[in-house]
């Protein structure tokens, strides 16, 4: 029998959020500069203060998917004496990051409006959040 998730458990929601945001934050950190895979893992964790800390086993398939889709390119480079594959966003990858930022900011606006409505006991109102505000995490 399939176990039903406990939707009152914060760890359920944190896990769901982390899974959803991993791709976004991979684009986010690569938007700053080219990096090798393990560096991407570390940068995502640092950028999100540990809120989103994907494993290498999660990041490498994402990097491969992005590379196959033309969102990034890679080249071999010697980093600290080791041969590493360094990933760099393409123009298509930068466009994807911009679109993802806008989409997440739209969702964030609705989450905040819903939270405020619950706290005040009123119907959710829309809150104006500029997509440009979403870039602060990465620049």
């Amino acid at each position: 029998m399939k176990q039903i998730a406990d939707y009152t458990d914060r760890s359920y929601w944190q896990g769901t959020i982390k899974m959803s945001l991993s791709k976004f934050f991979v684009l986010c950190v690569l938007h700053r500069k080219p990096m090798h895979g393990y560096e991407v893992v570390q940068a995502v964790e640092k950028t999100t203060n540990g809120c989103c800390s994907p494993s290498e086993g999660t990041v490498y398939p994402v990097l491969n998917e992005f590379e196959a889709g033309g969102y990034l390119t890679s080249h071999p480079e010697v980093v600290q004496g080791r041969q590493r594959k360094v990933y760099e966003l393409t123009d298509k990858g930068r466009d994807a990051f911009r679109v993802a930022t806008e989409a997440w900011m739209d969702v964030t606006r609705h989450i905040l409006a819903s939270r405020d409505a619950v706290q005040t006991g009123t119907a959710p109102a829309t809150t104006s959040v500029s997509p440009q505000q979403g870039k602060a995490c990465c620049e």
Side-chain angles (χ1 to χ4, degrees), residues 21-43:
L21 284 172
S22 290
K23 287 182 181 181
F24 172 81
F25 281 113
V26 167
L27 289 173
C28 180
V29 299
L30 287 172
H31 190 266
R32 285 190 228 146
K33 68 175 191 165
M35 298 180 194
H36 59 80
Y38 183 65
E39 189 177 13
V40 169
V41 170
Q42 292 175 315

Side-chain angles (χ1 to χ4, degrees), residues 33-107:
K33 68 175 191 165
M35 298 180 194
H36 59 80
Y38 183 65
E39 189 177 13
V40 169
V41 170
Q42 292 175 315
V44 168
E45 185 164 3
K46 184 177 179 184
T47 297
T48 65
N49 291 324
C51 176
C52 185
S53 51
S55 67
E56 290 178 62
T58 301
V59 167
Y60 284 106
V62 169
L63 292 169
N64 292 334
E65 179 183 335
F66 284 160
E67 187 170 22
Y71 299 96
L72 55 84
T73 59
S74 68
H75 63 274
E77 192 174 296
V78 176
V79 179
Q80 296 177 342
R82 293 183 60 194
Q83 183 82 3
R84 302 270 189 174
K85 195 173 184 180
V86 175
Y87 300 91
E88 184 171 359
L89 284 184
T90 61
D91 288 341
K92 185 176 179 181
R94 292 187 186 287
D95 288 343
F97 174 67
R98 180 188 50 77
V99 170
T101 299
E102 291 170 1
W104 279 106
M105 290 309 298
D106 189 43
V107 168

Side-chain angles (χ1 to χ4, degrees), residues 105-118 120 122-130 133:
M105 290 309 298
D106 189 43
V107 168
T108 299
R109 178 171 39 90
H110 292 291
I111 290 170
L112 292 172
S114 296
R115 180 204 60 195
D116 293 346
V118 167
T120 62
T122 61
T126 57
T127 307
S128 182
V129 176
S130 164
Q133 290 172 308

